[in-house]
Amino acid sequence: MPPSPPSRPARAYALRFISGKYQGGEFPLPENGEVVVGRSGELDMVLVEDMVSRRHAKITVTNGQIFIQDLGSTNGSFVNGERIKRSKLSEGDRVLIGTSIIKVVATEGAATMREAKAALEDVAAGKRTSQVRTMTGSIAEVPLPDLLQLFAASKKSGTLVVRTDTDVGKLHLDKGRLHYAAVNENYDVAPEKSFYRILTWEEGTFDMEPVEERDFPGEIEMSTEGLLMEAMRQLDEVKRLGPELPPHSAQLEVCSPLIPPLRDLTPDELDILQIAHNYSRVETVLNKSLAGDVRTSELIVKLIKSGYLKVL
């Protein structure tokens, strides 16, 4: 009788911190066993912060299956934006405990839990700063829609500041509800427009900063879920325009000589033509237009194709 093939070792998993004071740290999960998470120093995974309970959650691994159970914590445990009592975890899932966003990842499983516990302490010690920041991370690692859903579920308040190489966006949250948004401190632009543009950013960093005490010219009324759905719709519509839509940094100019007659334009098209003549930059045209970004983008493309506008 031929020998049985060797059994494949169970896949090893770890919890990788992708936001918060322990960002960059990683904690291995046992092949079979449990990890108790909380603020108490005698636990397996110690997260020293006010929003974490002394015994916050328990993660159990049994025959390759991973489960998380909240242990009656004050601020709750969240999986992919939903508050849970007990939930199964899979690779790629994101867990929110306190201000830490933790991703389930496959790993080689080299470190022991004792070594990982010490390593997390070292990570936190290296990030101590006088600045008051509760959450930081990369939007490439934690996409903004996921982040906003987590904040909505956990009812967080503060100013989510998103930075790219060229722009700074601010999302103002009150108990998880988005009530204002602005890009580059331009509070004259409708907050919905600013929000939809920030949602298109795929690279950059985020910081959750304290609430800004300021007056806003007009707040967002739509729910976060509704905003996200509308943002995805607008993103699809703008992508459909493809390379015909010039980038926001491009400059527009009315064609000279102007061959096609102005009488052929609709009032909306005439408005965009006038704004482009007055302000030139595509981003400013989008800001000044009374229409939404999708409609304004469609009109810009139409005016270019019809010979009324050209890109410099």
Side-chain angles (χ1 to χ4, degrees):
M1 184 175 177
S4 301
S7 60
R8 295 178 62 185
R11 194 170 189 191
Y13 292 96
L15 303 175
R16 179 176 296 161
F17 288 76
I18 57 178
S19 172
K21 67 186 287 188
Y22 298 96
Q23 182 184 354
E26 196 167 292
F27 197 94
L29 292 176
E31 184 175 331
N32 283 288
E34 65 180 34
V35 174
V36 181
V37 184
R39 201 172 68 245
S40 178
E42 71 268 11
L43 300 182
D44 306 305
M45 183 193 291
V46 181
L47 304 181
V48 184
E49 55 171 290
D50 293 341
M51 291 185 65
V52 176
S53 298
R54 286 183 60 79
R55 286 174 55 87
H56 196 106
K58 179 172 67 175
I59 299 169
T60 306
V61 185
T62 306
N63 299 325
Q65 292 191 317
I66 311 170
F67 293 89
I68 181 171
Q69 176 185 351
D70 186 79
L71 299 178
S73 65
T74 301
N75 293 298
S77 303
F78 300 82
V79 176
N80 298 328
E82 293 187 10
R83 187 165 186 160
I84 57 93
K85 291 184 177 178
R86 188 174 187 269
S87 177
K88 186 177 180 181
L89 295 176
S90 300
E91 184 178 355
D93 283 347
R94 294 180 177 90
V95 178
L96 175 66
I97 294 177
T99 63
S100 294
I101 301 176
I102 309 165
K103 186 176 182 180
V104 180
V105 298
T107 183
E108 298 299 324
T112 66
M113 284 200 290
R114 178 175 292 185
E115 292 169 339
K117 184 177 180 178
L120 282 184
E121 293 173 359
D122 292 341
V123 169
K127 294 199 171 189
R128 283 186 188 130
T129 171
S130 59
Q131 291 179 301
V132 181
R133 287 191 178 171
T134 57
M135 300 186 79
T136 63
S138 162
I139 61 174
E141 186 71 58
V142 192
L144 285 172
D146 294 1
L147 197 59
L148 288 169
Q149 287 175 328
L150 285 171
F151 291 161
S154 54
K155 300 187 182 304
K156 290 194 181 299
S157 296
T159 304
L160 181 62
V161 182
V162 186
R163 295 177 174 86
T164 71
D165 290 340
T166 55
D167 297 294
V168 177
K170 288 186 176 181
L171 301 172
H172 299 273
L173 301 167
D174 180 24
K175 295 180 181 178
R177 185 184 71 85
L178 179 70
H179 64 96
Y180 210 86
V183 177
N184 298 328
E185 296 291 333
N186 191 347
Y187 285 87
D188 293 332
V189 178
E192 293 85 355
K193 280 190 178 185
S194 297
F195 173 74
Y196 298 142
R197 289 186 205 163
I198 294 170
L199 260 286
T200 66
W201 301 350
E202 297 178 347
E203 299 287 339
T205 60
F206 69 84
D207 296 288
M208 184 57 125
E209 299 185 348
V211 173
E212 284 190 15
E213 299 296 337
R214 64 181 303 160
D215 294 325
F216 298 104
E219 296 194 359
I220 295 172
E221 298 295 335
M222 194 182 300
S223 68
T224 299
E225 182 177 319
L227 284 166
L228 290 171
M229 290 178 64
E230 176 61 16
M232 295 303 104
R233 185 194 70 79
Q234 290 201 19
L235 183 58
D236 288 342
E237 290 293 316
V238 171
K239 282 182 177 179
R240 183 176 53 80
L241 297 173
E244 293 180 329
L245 178 64
H248 286 191
S249 59
Q251 301 289 322
L252 299 172
E253 184 179 83
V254 177
C255 294
S256 181
L258 186 60
I259 305 301
L262 291 175
R263 64 176 176 270
D264 289 348
L265 296 179
T266 66
D268 286 348
E269 291 165 350
L270 281 170
D271 285 346
I272 298 304
L273 186 68
Q274 183 177 12
I275 295 171
H277 174 67
N278 289 341
Y279 298 100
S280 181
R281 185 180 169 92
V282 171
E283 182 179 24
T284 309
V285 176
L286 292 167
N287 289 345
K288 297 291 185 180
S289 172
L290 296 179
D293 279 3
V294 172
R295 179 60 179 156
T296 303
S297 297
E298 291 172 341
L299 292 173
I300 289 172
V301 169
K302 183 176 180 181
L303 290 169
I304 292 171
K305 294 171 73 173
S306 301
Y308 292 92
L309 289 174
K310 64 180 179 181
V311 181
L312 297 180

